[in-house]
């Protein structure tokens, strides 16, 4: 595949404090940009990271045609670089785009373009457990027109941001009773930008009550638990792991499906079924609810220490043998080429 390459004259890497990184605030030297016009994707370009020019009438600003992915590159002790299940990100990006009437990105543009970008910005990927290069591929409608219809021009872009271990502190959540993340027949399963914007206001209300996140419930009845903030959510009742099935309201998380597979590998009982608010509250009262944790690319696994629903609050026990720490350890060791990769999830660059 042909890629036009324009390299920076001088790297900014020496100006970056890699010991004090705010997530998503610092970006590597280069980015990949590929335009869609006249019914086809053009030759991708790797160029210095920097501002792009858009018409004020670009449809992304008016009708929200924007989808994205989140993934990471990891460097092992031998300076080899790996991606984790990138084919899943590629397919999910195009599945999200299809729902928003956007053209699919060719596999060679996504995969081969990303590999080339990572080779050029290799020094931005730091060794050490917890260090990574966060990768943000996205598609936006770039055509300048404000008629309410799908655009005819798009940009596919990949930007990269060095990241450290993500720790959000102790997280307590509210089970949603009024607001909804998504609805049947909607775009909840897609990584559409608007999904995240719609969460900001109800989450800010939770912050005012002293809670860090919301566990979203089904839009129809608010009786069933579905996602935790921007993450898939797992519940441990006794020694059984439970998570909701994916549907058109719930994101098909790559970390989620990896945890499910690891649970099977290590003979941990896992159930994929609807999880009711009533069931979780009853298990908490009976002392059977051992853990709740979210899963996603940025944090990998984020334990939840307590929750509120209606006028009741519940605290979860501190465990020395938590499933959250077990799965996080296994996933990280696979990603950093420390543990055997039985399922061929690692892709070497």
């Amino acid at each position: 595949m042909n890629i036009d390459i324009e390299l920076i004259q001088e790297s900014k890497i020496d100006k970056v404090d890699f010991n004090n990184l705010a997530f998503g605030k610092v970006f590597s030297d280069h980015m990949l940009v590929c335009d869609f016009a006249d019914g086809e994707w053009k030759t991708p370009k790797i160029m210095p990271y920097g501002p792009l020019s858009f018409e004020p009438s670009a449809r992304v600003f008016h009708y929200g045609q924007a989808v994205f992915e989140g993934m990471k590159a990891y460097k092992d002790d031998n300076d080899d670089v790996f991606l984790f299940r990138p084919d899943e990100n590629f397919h999910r990006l195009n599945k999200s785009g299809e729902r928003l009437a956007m053209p699919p990105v060719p596999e060679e543009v996504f995969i081969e373009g990303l590999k080339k970008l990572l080779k050029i910005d290799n020094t931005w990927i730091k060794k050490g457990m917890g260090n990574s290069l966060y990768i943000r591929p996205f598609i936006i409608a770039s055509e300048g027109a404000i008629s309410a219809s799908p655009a005819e021009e798009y940009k596919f872009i990949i930007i990269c941001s060095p990241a450290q271990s993500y720790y959000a502190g102790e997280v307590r959540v509210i089970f949603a009773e009024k607001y909804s993340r998504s609805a049947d027949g909607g775009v909840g399963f897609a990584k559409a930008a608007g999904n995240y914007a719609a969460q900001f206001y109800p989450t800010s209300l939770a912050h005012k009550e002293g809670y860090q996140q919301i566990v979203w419930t089904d839009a129809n009845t608010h009786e069933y638990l579905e996602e935790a903030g921007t993450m898939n959510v797992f519940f441990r009742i006794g020694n059984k792991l439970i998570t909701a099935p994916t549907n058109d309201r719930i994101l098909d998380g790559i970390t989620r499906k990896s945890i499910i597979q690891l649970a099977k590998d290590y003979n941990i009982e896992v159930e994929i079924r609807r999880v009711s608010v009533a069931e979780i509250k009853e298990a908490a009262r009976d002392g059977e609810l051992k853990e709740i944790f979210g899963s996603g690319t940025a944090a990998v696994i984020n334990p939840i220490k307590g929750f509120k629903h209606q006028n009741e609050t519940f605290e979860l026990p501190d465990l020395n043998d938590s499933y959250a720490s077990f799965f996080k350890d296994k996933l990280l060791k696979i990603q950093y080429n420390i543990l055997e990769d039985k399922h061929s999830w690692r892709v070497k660059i």
Side-chain angles (χ1 to χ4, degrees), residues 35-304:
D35 291 316
F36 180 90
D38 303 319
E40 63 178 7
W41 290 97
K42 307 299 183 180
T43 301
K45 303 174 184 178
I46 291 177
M47 62 181 70
Y49 175 89
L52 295 170
S53 178
F54 293 93
E55 296 283 349
S57 55
R59 292 185 196 252
V60 64
F61 301 138
H62 303 273
Y63 304 112
Q65 273 187 294
V67 296
F68 68 91
E69 273 298 320
M71 50 199 303
K72 288 180 178 178
Y74 310 86
K75 185 175 284 185
D76 70 7
D77 289 339
N78 297 317
D79 288 323
D80 290 324
V81 175
F82 298 89
L83 294 169
F84 183 73
R85 308 188 74 172
D87 55 321
E88 295 283 350
N89 295 100
F90 163 70
H91 291 300
R92 191 172 64 183
L93 180 75
N94 281 336
K95 182 180 178 182
S96 298
E98 181 182 22
R99 180 62 180 82
L100 272 68
M102 305 170 86
V105 174
E107 186 170 5
E108 69 258 20
V109 173
F110 186 104
I111 299 294
E112 299 308 317
L114 174 56
K115 288 181 178 180
K116 186 65 176 177
L117 178 62
L118 294 178
K119 288 178 180 178
I120 291 172
D121 278 355
N122 178 282
T123 54
W124 287 83
I125 312 169
K126 299 301 183 183
K127 290 189 290 189
M129 185 72 76
N131 295 323
S132 63
L133 189 67
Y134 184 83
I135 302 163
R136 172 55 59 88
F138 59 102
I139 313 171
I140 57 173
S142 55
E143 181 191 11
I146 56 171
S147 56
S149 60
E152 296 182 3
E153 296 177 4
Y154 297 86
K155 283 186 181 292
F156 169 63
I157 303 171
I158 304 177
I159 57 177
C160 302
S161 177
Q164 296 176 296
S165 294
Y166 184 92
Y167 177 64
E170 290 195 350
V171 173
R172 289 172 175 79
V173 300
I174 292 177
F175 288 177
E177 299 177 62
K178 176 182 178 182
Y179 294 101
S180 301
R181 177 187 174 274
S182 59
D184 292 341
V187 296
F189 70 90
K191 284 190 75 70
N195 286 347
Y196 297 79
Q199 297 185 52
F200 293 159
Y201 176 67
T203 303
S204 71
L205 298 180
H207 290 169
K208 291 178 181 178
E209 291 191 50
Y211 293 85
Q212 287 70 45
Q213 278 293 354
I214 295 173
V215 174
W216 302 101
T217 50
D218 68 292
N220 292 330
T221 67
H222 294 293
E223 293 178 5
Y224 293 93
L225 298 156
E226 297 195 333
E227 288 200 350
T230 60
M231 309 177 81
N232 295 116
V233 63
F234 288 84
F235 304 89
R236 177 184 174 184
I237 298 179
N239 289 323
K240 183 186 299 181
L241 193 64
I242 306 169
T243 191
T246 56
N247 53 40
D248 57 10
R249 299 185 308 276
I250 297 177
L251 185 71
D252 186 13
I254 296 163
T255 307
R256 170 190 176 275
K257 64 178 63 178
S258 302
I259 290 170
I260 292 170
Q261 183 59 58
L262 287 174
K264 295 175 181 177
D265 292 346
Y266 289 94
N267 297 315
I268 293 173
E269 186 178 2
V270 58
E271 289 186 358
I272 303 170
R273 61 171 175 80
R274 300 184 81 184
V275 185
S276 72
V277 173
E279 176 187 5
I280 295 303
K281 290 173 70 174
E282 182 180 358
R285 294 189 192 102
D286 294 343
E288 288 297 306
L289 180 65
K290 305 299 183 184
E291 295 179 71
I292 305 174
F293 58 85
S295 68
T297 299
V300 185
I301 289 176
N302 198 349
I304 293 170

